[in-house]
């Protein structure tokens, strides 16, 4: 890996990198930052969690003149949460240069945003719908933008967003530099991308697999009706410290969340029917660990960087291989390890093979976890606690009572009782979810590479955040490999 110093990055940004604890550039940073600094258009593809934000952020910040209080950098991202997160990372990177960054997204009062815009930010990080609103109202001035970025570029150029993106880019001076980044970049999207750019340099960080190596990938074959019990059993066995569970629809997310809560898990749901305030508070609670399990639609699939997410569960198999890559990429970030488990019904097994083929990775089969194993898992937790307590010492105050007890009871009975008290015995409260259709595979389809025609996704003009993840009665029509048009009835349109 290269040092940042060797890439020609200016001192003020080096200082920020130092402060952020970035010691060496990741491969995508090493390969794209120099091109970006030369002013070239770049399409950058690299695995999830490998620092693409800084890869486009650094060259953009380098060109910004802090004295000129105009918007000079514009970043477009698919969800509100991602816009906020990217804006924060850009802020950290540009801090010592005095760069002001403003996130702009739907679900926030317009007047507050207009005030923020009047304050003269150098960089705006926006979701497409709200950005267009501001452009139409002339509350955002794009005349001085010299760098435009599409984060999650393949998503932004997908059916639901592409027209908005074209409209946005038309407003930005043609001599701009355009940077497109994502962990996935299907060929036909890449072709569309090129029409929006000037002789782009294409950088694809070569990796054997599209997914990150340090994520252990597992699948469990289960009938629809077995899935929920299997999930809670598995949670008791694996005892993740922070987990994200993906469900296919908003309704599904609500039901799974309620079911988990009924069984005593600290779970909260996130999807587009929630108010912006609720979305933010759920995400913050998850980040600080007060909520241990985040149940989400694909609104949380892309880009979100929450450190220490140890497990990702695909309660429902994702619509296409790309979304699989993004979903499981919420764990195993920045070199950490992670576990990803996908529940697959027998009829959906062909999808598993398509995912494996497109991502060039392999999932290992795990047997359906039983309630007995779950109970053992919980006991093991209690055992670990006990051992930790022995290692920590400080037991002297308890010794006298302990030996009195040992006069009366045998040691096995005593330890068994202690373990029983310490084990969270999970009530198997019955939970029944509404029935759902399995994903269907289009016959003769070619491994997720088919060019999608159908668009179940709708136009993305709404910024109310109500449209994403429509709980869609057309679900059964969505073709797994009809990817380009169909994959994202679940994502945010804000
Ligand atoms: N050179 C570096 N050294 C150490 N940490 C880094 C470096 N670059 C980025 N990071 C950190 O790694 C994490 C992942 O970065 P980032 O969110 O940019 O990944 P990404 O490639 O955009 O992933 P995704 O495809 O999921 O959007 C962040 O917490 C970021 O601060
Ligand atoms: Mg990213």
């Amino acid at each position: 890996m290269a040092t940042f110093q060797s890439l020609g990055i200016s001192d003020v940004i080096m200082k920020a990198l130092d402060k952020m604890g970035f010691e060496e550039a990741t491969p995508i940073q090493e390969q794209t930052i120099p091109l970006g600094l030369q002013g070239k258009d770049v399409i950058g593809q690299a695995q999830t969690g490998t620092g693409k934000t800084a890869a486009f952020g650094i060259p953009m910040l380098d060109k910004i003149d802090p004295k000129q209080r105009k918007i000079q950098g514009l970043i477009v991202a698919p969800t509100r949460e991602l816009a906020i997160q990217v804006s924060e990372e850009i802020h950290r990177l540009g801090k010592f240069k005095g760069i002001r960054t403003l996130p702009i997204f739907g679900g926030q009062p317009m007047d507050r945003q207009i005030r923020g815009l009047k304050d003269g930010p150098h960089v705006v990080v926006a979701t497409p719908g709200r950005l267009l609103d501001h452009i139409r109202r002339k509350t955002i001035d794009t005349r001085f933008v010299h760098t435009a970025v599409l984060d999650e570029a393949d998503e932004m150029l997908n059916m639901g967003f592409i027209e908005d993106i074209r409209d946005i880019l038309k407003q930005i001076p043609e001599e701009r530099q355009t940077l497109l980044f994502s962990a996935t970049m299907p060929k036909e999207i890449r072709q569309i991308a090129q029409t929006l750019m000037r002789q782009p340099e294409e950088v694809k960080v070569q990796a054997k697999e599209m997914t990150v190596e340090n994520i252990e990938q597992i699948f469990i074959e289960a009938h629809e009706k077995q899935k929920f019990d299997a999930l809670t059993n598995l949670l008791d066995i694996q005892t993740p410290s922070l987990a994200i569970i993906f469900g296919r629809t908003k309704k599904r997310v609500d039901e799974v969340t309620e079911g988990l809560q009924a069984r005593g898990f600290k779970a909260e749901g996130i999807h587009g029917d929630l108010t912006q305030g609720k979305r933010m508070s759920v995400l913050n609670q998850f980040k600080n660990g007060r909520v241990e399990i985040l149940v989400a639609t694909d609104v949380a699939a892309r880009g979100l960087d929450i450190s220490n997410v140890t497990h990702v569960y695909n309660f429902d198999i994702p619509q296409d291989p790309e979304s699989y890559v993004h979903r499981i990429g919420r764990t195993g970030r920045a070199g950490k390890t992670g576990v990803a488990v996908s529940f697959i019904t027998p009829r959906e097994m062909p999808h598993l093979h398509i995912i494996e083929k497109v991502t060039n990775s392999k999932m290992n089969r795990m047997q359906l976890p039983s309630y007995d194993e779950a109970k053992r898992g919980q006991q093991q937790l209690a055992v670990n606690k006990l051992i930790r307590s022995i290692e920590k010492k400080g037991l002297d105050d308890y010794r006298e009572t302990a030996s009195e007890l040992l006069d009366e009871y045998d040691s096995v009975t005593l330890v068994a009782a202690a373990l029983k008290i310490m084990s969270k015995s999970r009530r198997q409260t019955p939970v029944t979810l509404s029935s759902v259709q399995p994903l269907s595979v289009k016959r003769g389809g070619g491994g997720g590479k088919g060019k999608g025609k159908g668009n179940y996704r709708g136009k993305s003009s709404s910024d109310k955040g109500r449209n994403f993840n429509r709980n869609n009665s057309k679900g059964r029509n969505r073709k797994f490999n009809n990817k380009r048009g169909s994959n994202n009835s679940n994502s945010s349109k804000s």
Side-chain angles (χ1 to χ4, degrees):
M1 283 208 223
T3 59
F4 282 105
Q5 201 89 54
S6 68
L7 302 179
I9 297 166
S10 60
D11 288 347
V12 268
I13 292 170
M14 283 301 302
K15 191 170 161 193
L17 289 169
D18 191 48
K19 187 96 187 237
M20 289 162 83
F22 291 14
E23 286 166 8
E24 287 177 325
T26 64
I28 188 72
Q29 292 165 352
E30 182 182 344
Q31 292 176 47
T32 58
I33 289 172
L35 294 170
L37 291 173
Q38 288 162 36
K40 297 222 163 92
D41 281 6
V42 178
I43 300 179
Q45 183 184 350
Q47 293 162 312
T48 51
T50 58
K52 291 186 288 294
T53 316
F56 60 69
I58 291 170
M60 184 188 76
L61 289 166
D62 191 82
K63 275 197 290 171
I64 290 175
D65 173 5
K67 288 199 283 301
Q68 200 194 9
R69 296 295 287 273
K70 304 278 183 203
I71 302 169
Q72 299 167 57
L74 183 64
I75 302 170
V76 192
T79 63
R80 301 164 182 184
E81 286 72 16
L82 187 55
I84 295 168
Q85 177 190 300
V86 169
S87 164
E88 285 168 353
E89 178 117 331
I90 298 296
H91 169 75
R92 281 192 292 272
L93 288 166
K95 199 163 141 194
F96 299 108
K97 197 171 173 178
I99 304 289
R100 301 167 74 104
T101 308
L102 183 71
I104 288 284
F105 49 86
Q108 209 187 32
M110 210 59 183
D111 53 341
R112 194 168 123 201
Q113 287 180 351
I114 291 172
R115 275 202 305 278
L117 286 160
K118 282 194 176 139
D119 240 22
H122 303 102
V123 179
V124 162
V125 187
T127 52
R130 183 56 68 94
L131 175 59
L132 272 177
D133 261 3
H134 280 288
I135 290 176
R136 289 191 189 114
R137 291 176 187 217
K138 302 205 185 320
T139 41
I140 274 187
D141 183 359
T142 51
R143 287 174 303 161
F144 301 90
V145 172
H146 52 57
T147 313
V149 179
L150 302 183
D151 192 15
E152 304 299 340
D154 56 332
E155 170 78 346
M156 305 309 304
L157 300 177
N158 212 325
M159 293 286 202
F161 285 123
I162 176 82
E163 290 315 317
D164 286 354
I165 296 299
R166 280 190 210 282
D167 289 348
I168 291 164
L169 290 179
K170 265 185 225 151
Q171 303 300 318
I172 303 175
E174 266 183 47
E175 24 338 323
R176 68 169 185 263
Q177 179 180 16
T178 312
L179 306 173
L180 267 53
F181 280 76
S182 181
T184 52
M185 193 66 75
K187 207 167 93 212
E188 49 291 12
I189 302 277
R190 197 177 279 270
Q191 281 160 2
I192 298 172
Q194 280 158 342
T195 65
L196 304 167
M197 308 175 81
R198 290 183 306 170
Q199 289 141 21
E201 297 277 345
E202 299 193 35
V203 175
K204 184 173 175 180
V205 170
Q206 283 302 335
K208 193 165 84 26
E209 298 159 12
M210 204 185 274
T211 46
V212 174
E213 231 173 45
N214 40 358
I215 303 173
E216 186 189 351
Q217 298 181 53
I218 296 168
F219 78 92
I220 294 173
E221 189 175 349
H223 289 285
E224 194 49 52
K225 288 203 163 65
Q226 300 173 312
K227 274 163 54 172
F228 190 78
D229 286 342
L231 172 71
T232 58
N233 289 341
L234 192 58
L235 288 169
D236 279 344
I237 296 166
Q238 297 185 326
T239 60
S241 45
L242 278 190
I244 303 182
I245 298 173
F246 286 102
R248 199 172 296 154
T249 62
K250 289 180 290 194
K251 185 173 169 201
R252 189 77 156 164
V253 164
D254 286 340
E255 290 186 0
V256 170
T257 307
E258 281 161 27
L260 288 172
Q261 288 168 347
R263 289 195 179 172
F265 292 94
K266 286 191 212 161
E268 288 290 341
I270 190 165
H271 59 62
D273 268 1
L274 304 176
T275 62
Q276 190 52 34
K278 177 75 182 168
R279 276 166 72 164
M280 288 206 209
S281 86
V282 166
L283 203 62
N284 285 334
Q285 283 177 296
F286 183 60
K287 282 181 188 164
N288 62 34
R290 258 179 294 151
V291 164
E292 293 166 356
I293 300 174
L294 184 70
V295 189
T297 55
D298 276 323
V299 67
R302 282 186 178 249
L304 291 192
D305 182 60
I306 300 163
S307 56
N308 304 325
V309 172
T310 51
H311 292 68
V312 169
Y313 299 94
N314 286 312
F315 187 67
D316 299 311
I317 186 173
Q319 299 285 344
D320 53 76
E322 284 79 15
S323 90
Y324 176 81
V325 170
H326 292 281
R327 281 181 177 190
I328 74 162
R330 293 322 96 208
T331 185
R333 300 179 71 73
K336 296 201 180 79
T337 56
V339 177
V341 184
S342 302
F343 291 92
I344 301 180
T345 64
R347 281 178 61 186
E348 291 168 334
M349 286 302 281
H351 298 305
L352 171 89
H353 303 301
I354 295 171
I355 292 172
E356 287 187 328
K357 199 171 141 208
V358 175
T359 62
N360 200 21
S361 52
K362 179 111 185 72
M363 291 182 231
N364 293 316
R365 182 187 282 269
M366 180 191 266
Q367 292 308 319
L368 208 61
S370 67
Y371 188 42
D372 277 346
E373 287 172 273
K375 282 190 289 194
R376 277 205 298 279
Q378 285 305 301
Q379 271 194 34
Q380 190 56 46
L381 263 193
V383 169
N384 295 347
K385 266 193 215 161
L386 213 57
I387 293 172
R388 270 203 305 276
S389 174
I390 294 171
E391 284 166 352
K392 269 200 209 147
K393 310 236 168 52
L395 297 173
D396 289 348
D397 289 354
Y398 300 85
R399 285 186 191 279
E400 199 180 318
T401 317
S403 51
E404 280 169 21
L405 280 168
L406 275 166
D407 290 341
E408 233 171 295
Y409 303 96
D410 71 283
S411 54
V412 173
T413 307
L414 273 177
V415 178
L419 286 176
K420 184 177 175 196
I421 295 167
M422 289 166 64
S423 299
K424 259 191 266 167
S425 63
R426 195 78 72 194
R427 282 168 294 140
Q428 272 309 65
T429 315
V431 170
T432 317
L433 308 178
S434 309
S435 63
V436 293
Q437 296 283 339
L439 281 186
S440 57
V441 182
K442 195 176 158 192
R443 268 177 195 288
K449 293 193 171 88
K451 193 161 186 161
K453 292 200 188 77
N455 179 13
Y456 307 111
R457 177 174 189 175
K459 181 80 176 73
S460 64
S461 54
S462 160
D463 228 335
K464 310 273 184 317
R466 285 201 195 97
N467 272 355
F468 75 77
N469 186 23
R470 279 159 301 143
N471 188 359
N472 166 337
S473 60
K474 285 186 200 142
R476 76 189 80 98
N477 292 333
R478 283 178 281 176
K479 301 293 189 294
F480 185 73
N481 60 355
N482 197 8
K483 140 96 184 121
R484 258 29 93 192
S486 65
N487 70 327
N488 263 312
S489 34
N490 279 342
S491 64
S492 171
K493 304 295 188 314
S494 18

